[in-house]
Amino acid sequence: MAQVRVRFNGAPVARELRAAAARGLLLGAEHVLGVSDDRVPLDEAALQRSGMASVDEATLTAMVSYDTPYAVPQHERLDYRHAPGRQAKFLENSLNEERAQVDAIIAAQIRRALR
């Protein structure tokens, strides 16, 4: 009977997979930001321009945020009136509706790293 010895250098593989997951998270966050930007209430577009997607690579956490003094009220206040196609909960709804697409984006980056 023949023996086969396989060596697996796990640390470089784990680093590459982690980097791929971070890339996927950023691309997914940017996707959600794009969808959200199409729904964000507009006046002079300052709120829309303040949108940002980022990733904390240490914790593999993606973030999408808007940075104006009125971002939270515009998002949370359901009694505000908005132009057609614009809405409260613009970020929350975008994330919830695009969750499957974000999962697919992350998975594609990980699959690419495994090639």
Side-chain angles (χ1 to χ4, degrees), residues 24 27-39 64 90-106:
L27 291 172
E30 288 173 344
H31 174 76
V32 170
L33 177 62
V35 172
S36 180
D37 277 349
D38 290 339
R39 300 172 177 182
V64 178
F90 48 90
L91 182 53
E92 181 179 336
N93 291 340
S94 297
L95 175 60
N96 289 335
E97 292 169 17
E98 297 299 316
R99 191 173 304 274
Q101 180 65 28
V102 170
D103 289 347
I105 290 168
I106 296 166

Side-chain angles (χ1 to χ4, degrees), residues 13 16-17 20 23 107-115:
V13 172
E16 184 56 36
L17 288 176
R23 278 192 308 276
Q109 291 301 309
I110 293 171
R111 275 193 309 276
R112 193 168 287 128
L114 290 171
R115 291 183 187 162

Side-chain angles (χ1 to χ4, degrees), residues 26-95:
L26 182 58
L27 291 172
E30 288 173 344
H31 174 76
V32 170
L33 177 62
V35 172
S36 180
D37 277 349
D38 290 339
R39 300 172 177 182
V40 70
L42 288 178
D43 186 13
E44 296 174 8
L47 180 56
Q48 185 181 39
R49 284 191 306 271
S50 76
M52 187 173 82
S54 60
V55 170
D56 179 343
E57 292 186 25
T59 62
L60 289 179
T61 303
M63 294 142 291
V64 178
S65 61
Y66 289 88
D67 186 24
T68 64
Y70 49 87
V72 172
Q74 283 290 341
H75 188 268
E76 297 299 321
R77 295 287 304 267
L78 300 177
D79 59 324
Y80 283 5
R81 293 180 49 191
H82 303 294
R86 305 301 176 152
Q87 58 185 254
K89 302 291 187 177
F90 48 90
L91 182 53
E92 181 179 336
N93 291 340
S94 297
L95 175 60

